Amino acid sequence: MKRTVEILGIPFYNVSQNAFVDELIDAAVNKERRFIVTANPEIVMHAQQDLEFNRAIQQADYIVADGIGVVKAAKSIGKPLKGRVTGYDTMLGLLEKANEMNMSVYFVGAKPNIIDKLIEHVKFKYKGIEVVGARDGYFTASDSEAIAEDILVKQADFVFLALGFPRQERWISTHLDKFDKGIFMGVGGSFDVLSGCTKRAPDFWVRFNLEWLYRILSQPSRWKRALAIPRFMLAMKKQRRHG
């Protein structure tokens, strides 16, 4: 039985980063289908207000804690999680294993120049991976059907979508029933980082769980999104009070 910790109505899978990658690889090898949501406080708070989005992510096989705020919240209610399970680190772990096992990957999202650099990087670094398809994030609703059909035809083992939330989770939720196999995961801005177009926070910031602050300082336009953090903390305080 899957071990979960509920945070504001969202069931977070209690698993370590490495164990999660291994679990997804096993599913991929067995030609199974999985839908993964990597959720931070911002996503949790959005799910409180957007019922359609909430329904979409509740369809996921796994919701994991991509954010130290979620990890601290779980600890505060006496149900500690094993740690953060980030979209970026999960994607890297899956790419490394896929490379060893000659598996296939499909990328959807980001700007055209970024997706081009991403494919170049993946083909150079992970020579055992077959990139069976790639599409930038600038497509219409009618294009979605063609993209889903192409993924189905290509039988990709892993499908990573960098469309930003809530779009990437909604896309997966909408099209998931078309597929019998494949590991589907929204990875936000991870293509920008993996392609080398954007720097990830230095190790110091990661070690002290301050990646969110580094992103705000690097991209001040993100400050409004950071307002979800105090709202999340307040909501958690109410959850603790009501048991």
Side-chain angles (χ1 to χ4, degrees):
M1 186 176 175
K2 209 162 62 174
R3 304 167 306 283
T4 61
V5 175
E6 191 168 300
I7 303 292
L8 299 178
I10 306 298
F12 282 90
Y13 186 35
N14 195 1
V15 68
S16 69
Q17 179 70 72
N18 291 339
F20 189 52
V21 168
D22 290 342
E23 194 167 332
L24 294 180
I25 288 292
D26 285 346
V29 167
N30 291 318
K31 309 290 186 190
E32 295 170 353
R33 186 191 70 191
R34 295 288 185 272
F35 170 17
I36 300 103
V37 172
T38 62
N40 58 17
E42 187 181 5
I43 288 176
V44 173
M45 294 313 296
H46 190 80
Q48 309 303 302
Q49 302 163 333
D50 185 337
L51 293 181
E52 183 189 343
F53 176 67
N54 197 319
R55 282 194 293 270
I57 66 172
Q58 295 282 1
Q59 284 184 34
D61 297 286
Y62 304 107
I63 303 175
V64 291
D66 187 347
I68 192 61
V70 174
V71 175
K72 288 185 174 179
K75 187 176 181 181
S76 75
I77 59 172
K79 298 177 180 178
L81 293 166
K82 295 181 188 297
R84 290 178 67 199
V85 180
T86 74
Y88 183 75
D89 289 321
T90 301
M91 182 175 73
L92 277 189
L94 292 175
L95 288 175
E96 286 165 9
K97 299 277 189 180
N99 184 54
E100 296 169 7
M101 302 170 77
N102 301 116
M103 301 177 90
S104 62
V105 179
Y106 202 113
F107 297 104
V108 180
K111 294 177 180 177
N113 65 309
I114 288 173
I115 197 84
D116 289 344
K117 288 181 180 178
L118 173 73
I119 295 165
E120 187 180 325
H121 172 79
V122 170
K123 287 184 174 179
F124 175 77
K125 186 171 182 181
Y126 304 102
K127 291 184 170 58
I129 287 177
E130 183 183 6
V131 179
V132 293
R135 173 67 192 252
D136 66 61
Y138 294 81
F139 58 84
T140 64
S142 60
D143 294 329
S144 282
E145 293 301 324
I147 293 168
E149 183 63 29
D150 194 42
I151 292 169
L152 183 61
V153 169
K154 301 290 178 55
Q155 290 288 294
D157 294 311
F158 301 95
V159 182
F160 299 115
L161 296 99
L163 301 172
F165 95 89
R167 189 181 171 207
Q168 59 197 18
E169 288 79 19
R170 282 180 174 150
W171 193 97
I172 298 171
S173 171
T174 298
H175 298 283
L176 193 64
D177 286 345
K178 295 181 176 73
F179 308 104
D180 294 320
K181 61 162 279 189
I183 309 301
F184 292 79
M185 183 171 70
V187 294
S190 295
F191 290 3
D192 300 54
V193 179
L194 188 58
S195 66
C197 295
T198 299
K199 286 186 177 180
R200 196 184 188 190
D203 289 343
F204 170 84
W205 298 79
V206 175
R207 193 162 60 249
F208 288 96
N209 299 309
L210 293 170
E211 279 180 280
W212 61 273
L213 180 57
Y214 178 85
R215 285 197 293 269
I216 293 170
L217 294 174
S218 302
Q219 297 174 276
S221 60
R222 295 176 64 102
W223 72 268
K224 283 186 179 178
R225 294 176 59 178
L227 294 177
I229 297 172
R231 286 174 41 236
F232 174 76
M233 292 169 65
L234 183 61
M236 281 306 303
K237 188 175 181 180
K238 290 179 180 175
Q239 178 174 319
R240 288 195 299 274
R241 189 183 304 140
H242 295 296

